[in-house]
């Protein structure tokens, strides 16, 4: 069902959407005035946030290209938000028109927008699910007909695991996802960190405890642990701009200022 302006009826334009705010920061077009006002307020308090979001998106694009070069043609993108500028299906299907993508997000607004954007693309779908229910995600992905877990799969967790508190056992969640994957699969993770961060960033993170999207900052060792016994690709788990930049000139003088690590790992047959 749609409203008179053509938008899905479940999209509430009386409240800003976190997914649309993220879209705005990335330069996307799937946002509204109410989202832009909130984004500007956030930017006034944390002026580096937009750069951090863009660095995260660039890391994801580079990682997807590496997976494509390795022969991956199916992707499970969990915590995808709105598939905005430089999204996974655009990057993947530009290189391989047969590539299949299942987007997953907990935000019904993001899912509604995603489904609208993906209309007519029979190799990309969006499902509404919570990362904390990995078995449900896997079942839904299989049911879509686009994901075959018996073949190598790219599992993408870009900027989402830090929303899972320790009490919800994120390591076990990722272990469940890894256990369902076939040899030759890849896992991509980017995650906010407290390491190498100034005090003002840590103070800002504490403010997130007042919202329903609190972020848990973790160490490089903790993020690395999410890959289990899979083979972590070079250069390892590093500040996002340092992960296989397209050009040395693309690396900021202070890559740590973006406040997040990124890494990619492969499931070799010797892994358990």
């Amino acid at each position: 069902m749609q409203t008179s302006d053509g938008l899905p009826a479940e999209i509430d334009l009386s409240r800003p959407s976190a997914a649309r705010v993220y879209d705005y920061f990335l330069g996307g077009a799937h946002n509204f005035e109410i989202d832009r006002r909130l984004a500007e307020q956030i930017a006034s308090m944390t002026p580096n946030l937009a750069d951090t979001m863009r660095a995260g998106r660039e890391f994801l694009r580079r990682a997807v290209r590496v997976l494509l070069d390795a022969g991956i043609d199916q992707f499970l993108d969990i915590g995808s938000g709105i598939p905005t500028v430089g999204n996974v299906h655009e990057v993947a299907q530009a290189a391989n028109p047969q590539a299949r993508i299942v987007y997953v997000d907990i935000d019904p607004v993001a899912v509604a927008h995603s489904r609208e954007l993906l209309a007519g693309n029979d190799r990309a779908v969006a499902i509404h699910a919570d990362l904390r229910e990995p078995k449900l995600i896997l079942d839904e992905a299989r049911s879509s007909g686009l994901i075959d877990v018996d073949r190598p799969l790219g599992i993408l967790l870009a900027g989402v695991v830090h929303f899972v508190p320790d009490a919800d056992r994120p390591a076990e969640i990722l272990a469940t996802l890894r256990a369902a994957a076939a040899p030759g699969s890849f896992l991509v993770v980017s995650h906010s960190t407290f390491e190498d961060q100034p005090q003002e960033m840590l103070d800002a993170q504490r403010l997130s405890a007042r919202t329903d999207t609190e972020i848990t900052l973790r160490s490089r060792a903790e993020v690395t642990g999410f890959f289990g016994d899979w083979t972590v690709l070079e250069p390892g788990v590093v500040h996002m701009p340092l992960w296989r930049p397209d050009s040395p000139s693309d690396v900021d003088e202070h890559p740590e200022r973006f406040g997040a690590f990124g890494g990619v790992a492969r499931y070799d047959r010797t892994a358990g």
Side-chain angles (χ1 to χ4, degrees), residues 5 43 53 71 78 85 95 97 132 143 155 162 196 206 213 217 247 264:
D5 52 11
M53 290 181 173
I78 304 174
V85 179
R132 292 169 295 183
S143 297
I155 303 171
H162 49 228
D196 307 320
R206 292 190 183 98
T213 54
L217 303 180
S247 166
V264 179

Side-chain angles (χ1 to χ4, degrees), residues 2 83 89 93 97 99 101 103 112-126 146:
Q2 293 185 329
H89 74 270
Q93 292 177 345
I101 299 88
Y103 291 111
H113 277 291
S114 300
R115 288 173 175 165
E116 192 78 1
L117 291 168
L118 296 171
N121 187 334
D122 61 3
R123 294 185 179 275
V125 299
L146 297 182

Side-chain angles (χ1 to χ4, degrees), residues 110-172:
V111 174
H113 277 291
S114 300
R115 288 173 175 165
E116 192 78 1
L117 291 168
L118 296 171
N121 187 334
D122 61 3
R123 294 185 179 275
V125 299
I127 62 177
H128 182 213
D130 188 331
L131 172 59
R132 292 169 295 183
E133 297 181 293
K135 292 181 180 178
L136 174 62
I137 289 175
L138 292 164
D139 287 344
E140 293 271 350
R142 292 187 190 98
S143 297
S144 73
L146 297 182
I147 297 295
D148 179 0
V149 295
D150 293 327
R151 297 179 55 249
L153 169 67
I155 303 171
L156 314 177
L157 294 165
V160 63
V161 183
H162 49 228
F163 290 116
V164 180
D166 291 339
D168 287 334
R169 302 180 177 180
E172 292 183 15

Side-chain angles (χ1 to χ4, degrees), residues 93-109:
Q93 292 177 345
N96 178 1
Q98 304 304 310
R100 302 181 303 282
I101 299 88
V102 171
Y103 291 111
V104 183
D105 205 89
I106 191 175
D107 182 353
V109 172

